[in-house]
Amino acid sequence: MEQRDEIIEAIICEMREIVAYLHRRSPPPLLAWDLSMAQLKVLFALACRSPLTVSEVAERLRISPPTASHLIERLTQLGLATRREDERDRRRTLVGLTADGRVVLDQLRQGSEHTWRDLLSDLASEDLQALLRGLRALARAARRASDETRERVR
């Protein structure tokens, strides 16, 4: 069991190094925005389905509506998101991405993808196959954990 724990600890350490590398390689225009992780999560939520109400953003991110509203307000001030009244129900506020918000997300996705491709292209075929097997197993574990969480919530 001790060896298994050591392997898990080594994997976590290596993942941290990879994430730090990816962060250093972030495109400069993206870094200029100085967005928090919570703000980026709101942008990603809006990218998946837009427009959303403030309550829907809060629910998707598992945060309170006032916290979601605060994050959305900051993104609106930066010109990355818009707020507008729902024409069918004026009590609801709809939130969407602006063109600049889409550009930020595209930069993040493209920059990350290019960096991953550069890193992966340096690996030997056997290492790529081993990595793919491991990532598929990790993805299965993540799906199981997600399914279990959904079942507990019901």
Side-chain angles (χ1 to χ4, degrees):
M1 190 65 168
E2 192 173 313
Q3 183 182 10
R4 184 177 175 82
D5 291 341
E6 288 175 13
I7 292 171
I8 290 170
E9 199 58 40
I11 289 170
I12 291 169
C13 183
E14 296 296 337
M15 291 299 291
R16 284 185 185 134
E17 189 167 329
I18 292 167
V19 168
Y21 172 78
L22 291 171
H23 180 71
R24 288 190 305 270
R25 294 280 311 249
S26 291
L30 178 62
L31 293 176
W33 288 101
D34 194 27
L35 297 171
S36 70
M37 185 58 70
Q39 291 166 336
L40 281 171
K41 287 179 181 180
V42 171
L43 289 178
F44 278 112
L46 295 173
C48 291
R49 182 171 167 257
S50 192
L52 293 172
T53 65
V54 174
S55 296
E56 288 170 330
V57 171
E59 185 179 308
R60 283 174 181 251
L61 300 181
R62 296 185 177 147
I63 57 177
S64 70
T67 299
S69 184
H70 174 74
L71 292 168
I72 291 164
E73 180 59 30
R74 179 69 180 127
L75 292 171
T76 301
Q77 290 170 354
L78 291 170
L80 302 177
T82 60
R83 287 180 120 152
R84 65 180 168 83
E85 200 174 76
D86 186 342
E87 295 171 3
R88 289 178 281 178
D89 184 349
R90 293 183 179 216
R91 294 170 295 177
R92 294 173 12 133
T93 300
L94 298 176
V95 184
L97 284 177
T98 63
D100 283 343
R102 285 187 193 85
V103 166
V104 166
L105 289 175
D106 287 346
Q107 286 177 343
L108 184 60
R109 287 181 183 124
Q110 290 171 0
S112 178
E113 185 176 311
H114 292 303
T115 303
W116 275 110
R117 285 186 188 285
D118 289 346
L119 287 174
L120 293 170
S121 67
D122 285 344
L123 298 181
S125 293
E126 311 83 60
D127 291 336
L128 282 171
Q129 288 295 329
L131 180 59
L132 180 58
R133 267 192 313 281
L135 288 173
R136 284 180 173 159
L138 188 58
R140 282 191 303 273
R143 284 190 292 273
R144 279 192 307 272
S146 180
D147 291 344
E148 290 170 5
T149 300
R150 270 195 295 269
E151 287 301 315
R152 280 195 301 262
V153 171
R154 288 181 191 175

